Structure formats: C-alpha cells, structure tokens
Amino acid sequence: ETRVRHMNSVKIFTAGSNDNLAQHICSLLGRPLGKATVDKYADGETRVEIHDNVRGSDCFVVQSTCPPVNDNIMQLLVLIDALRRSSPKRITAVVPYFGYSRQDRKHAPREPITAKLVADLIEVAGPERIVFFDLHSDQIQGFFNLPVDNMLPDTLFIQWVQEKNMVPGNTVILAPDVGGARRARRVADHLGFRIALLESNRNNAEVDDGETEVCHRKETRKKEIRNQESNIRLRYSYQGRCCR
C-alpha cells in the first residue's frame, strides 16, 4: 500500500530531447507522462508551462543536453524551475547525455571549464538529485554540491560481449580517449581482454597530419595518416604493458 501511494505521487516530465525514453520509462512504471508545454516565444526564448498538479509529488525530469545542446540545456533549466515553483516534494533530473562534459578541464591558458559552469546552472535551477549515464569523466560529479548518481553500462556491455562468445586473445577493448581509459580498463580486466588507448590533441583551427603508432608485443608499425580533427597516437598494450 505504501509503495502504491508512492508510485501515485511519481510524475515524469520531459522537455523533448528524450521523448521515447521518457515514454518507455512511464510504460514500465505504469504511469502517464507528465503534461507540459515546451516551446519558444517569437524571439526564441524558451517557454515552459506545467499542466499537471505536482504539489507534494516526486518529479523526474528526463532531458539530455544533446544537440541542439544550448536549447536542450535551457529547456532542462526552465522546466526544473517551473516545477520547483509548483511545490513538489522532490525533483530529480535524469540526464542521459551531459553536454559540455568534455570541457571538464583547461587544455590551454584562458580556456573555460564549461562543464563546471553548466553544473552550476543546473544546481541553481533547483533539483535535489541528478542521475547521469556514463559521464565523460568521474570528476564531473565533484562539480555539483548535491547528490549525483552516475549509472555505468559496464554490466550490460560485459553481458553482451559474453553472449557473443568473443575470444580474449583476438579481442581488444579500445578507449577513445584518456578520459575513457579507466572505463575500458574496468571492462577489460573483467573479461580478460587486452586494451588499446587513443590519445588525441584536438586542433580545431588547422588540419594536421597525424601519426598512428601501433605497438603489439615486440612488433611496431608506424603509419602516417591524414586526420581532419586531431593528431592521434594509438598505444596498443598487452595486459597494461606497452610492448615496444
């Protein structure tokens, strides 16, 4: 009976970036999707109006900050603010994809840490908790002064790999950048696979030639490549040791 009362107080909203996901969550919980209008004024400002009574409710806002990133961020902020001013019991922001997460550190002088700025904006909007999925780096959790849950897909990915009957000797887990190295290592250690790491130095102003260096035990091959976005150096290591 207590659980039924709690489920009746749960209301799920979305601003448009994750309509299908929000609908699927509602179908699993047996709850209708919250009614809200999210559109724009003539000058491009974001407009949100909540149509449900959320007083005393446990509200969840399912909204990624995926492209168009800035529009979706504003919709998330304004939707949370609209709910907060409607006296709910609690607001939880569910953000499957966190835009600006790659700008979590300064790569050069006079650069911003935009991930921290966006974190401050979300925190000021007023949620009590935030749920992310596979953040670009764990340190982003420290940008918030409120509870943060970072849901990892490791278990599902490991299960999928095991179902494919992949052979450890012929399979490599590739980390796309340094930020993903820990996640790749975690999966590789569990499955007994080797790991490869990509390190990139992004240069948006120019197109440079890149060099790919592949180290496999005692054999090394070097190949000059043309890469339109970055210089990439690939280190291929066996059980964590680069074998040059």
Side-chain angles (χ1 to χ4, degrees), residues 102-123:
R102 290 175 177 80
Q103 298 185 45
D104 58 352
R105 61 176 64 86
K106 294 182 66 173
H107 297 280
R110 298 176 296 281
E111 280 191 350
I113 304 179
T114 318
K116 178 62 170 70
L117 173 61
V118 176
D120 291 341
L121 292 172
I122 295 175
E123 190 170 331

Side-chain angles (χ1 to χ4, degrees), residues 135-146:
L135 282 169
H136 179 67
S137 60
D138 293 334
Q139 73 185 41
I140 294 176
Q141 299 178 68
F143 292 170
F144 295 86
N145 294 315
L146 49 84

Side-chain angles (χ1 to χ4, degrees), residues 191-211:
L191 294 170
F193 290 170
R194 289 169 291 187
I195 183 174
L197 172 64
L198 282 172
E199 291 181 337
S200 61
N201 294 318
R202 295 178 177 85
N203 189 337
N204 295 326
E206 299 178 359
V207 177
D208 299 325
D209 290 328
E211 179 185 272

Side-chain angles (χ1 to χ4, degrees), residues 54-123:
V54 299
R55 184 178 297 274
S57 298
D58 197 356
C59 297
F60 292 81
V61 178
V62 182
Q63 174 78 356
S64 286
T65 55
C66 54
V69 177
N70 296 334
D71 286 344
N72 285 327
I73 287 177
M74 281 306 302
Q75 290 173 357
L76 173 65
L77 299 176
V78 178
L79 181 54
I80 292 175
D81 184 74
L83 288 171
R84 183 172 59 86
R85 298 176 187 277
S86 303
S87 304
K89 178 182 178 181
R90 179 174 56 185
I91 300 174
T92 301
V94 181
V95 185
Y97 175 82
F98 183 46
Y100 289 105
S101 62
R102 290 175 177 80
Q103 298 185 45
D104 58 352
R105 61 176 64 86
K106 294 182 66 173
H107 297 280
R110 298 176 296 281
E111 280 191 350
I113 304 179
T114 318
K116 178 62 170 70
L117 173 61
V118 176
D120 291 341
L121 292 172
I122 295 175
E123 190 170 331

Side-chain angles (χ1 to χ4, degrees), residues 4-191:
V4 171
R5 286 202 304 267
H6 174 69
M7 288 304 300
N8 288 336
S9 70
V10 171
K11 295 186 180 295
I12 301 171
F13 294 88
T14 181
S17 68
N18 290 118
D19 285 345
N20 293 335
L21 176 61
Q23 290 283 3
H24 185 61
I25 293 173
C26 289
S27 65
L28 292 175
L29 296 177
R31 300 293 300 161
L33 184 64
K35 296 179 181 179
T37 297
V38 180
D39 55 20
K40 292 185 178 182
Y41 289 104
D43 62 354
E45 296 176 5
T46 298
R47 171 181 174 269
V48 171
E49 182 180 356
I50 307 297
H51 301 299
D52 288 344
N53 182 5
V54 299
R55 184 178 297 274
S57 298
D58 197 356
C59 297
F60 292 81
V61 178
V62 182
Q63 174 78 356
S64 286
T65 55
C66 54
V69 177
N70 296 334
D71 286 344
N72 285 327
I73 287 177
M74 281 306 302
Q75 290 173 357
L76 173 65
L77 299 176
V78 178
L79 181 54
I80 292 175
D81 184 74
L83 288 171
R84 183 172 59 86
R85 298 176 187 277
S86 303
S87 304
K89 178 182 178 181
R90 179 174 56 185
I91 300 174
T92 301
V94 181
V95 185
Y97 175 82
F98 183 46
Y100 289 105
S101 62
R102 290 175 177 80
Q103 298 185 45
D104 58 352
R105 61 176 64 86
K106 294 182 66 173
H107 297 280
R110 298 176 296 281
E111 280 191 350
I113 304 179
T114 318
K116 178 62 170 70
L117 173 61
V118 176
D120 291 341
L121 292 172
I122 295 175
E123 190 170 331
V124 169
E128 278 73 31
R129 179 180 292 271
I130 302 180
V131 179
F132 292 113
F133 291 84
D134 199 13
L135 282 169
H136 179 67
S137 60
D138 293 334
Q139 73 185 41
I140 294 176
Q141 299 178 68
F143 292 170
F144 295 86
N145 294 315
L146 49 84
V148 174
D149 295 316
N150 184 27
M151 310 295 291
L152 299 176
D154 295 9
T155 303
L156 295 175
F157 181 71
I158 290 172
Q159 180 181 353
W160 179 84
V161 171
Q162 291 173 336
E163 291 174 353
K164 298 298 181 180
N165 297 319
M166 296 182 181
V167 180
N170 296 329
T171 309
V172 175
I173 300 296
L174 176 64
D177 51 34
V178 177
R182 182 178 297 179
R183 288 170 292 176
R185 170 66 63 193
R186 190 166 54 237
V187 173
D189 288 345
H190 185 92
L191 294 170

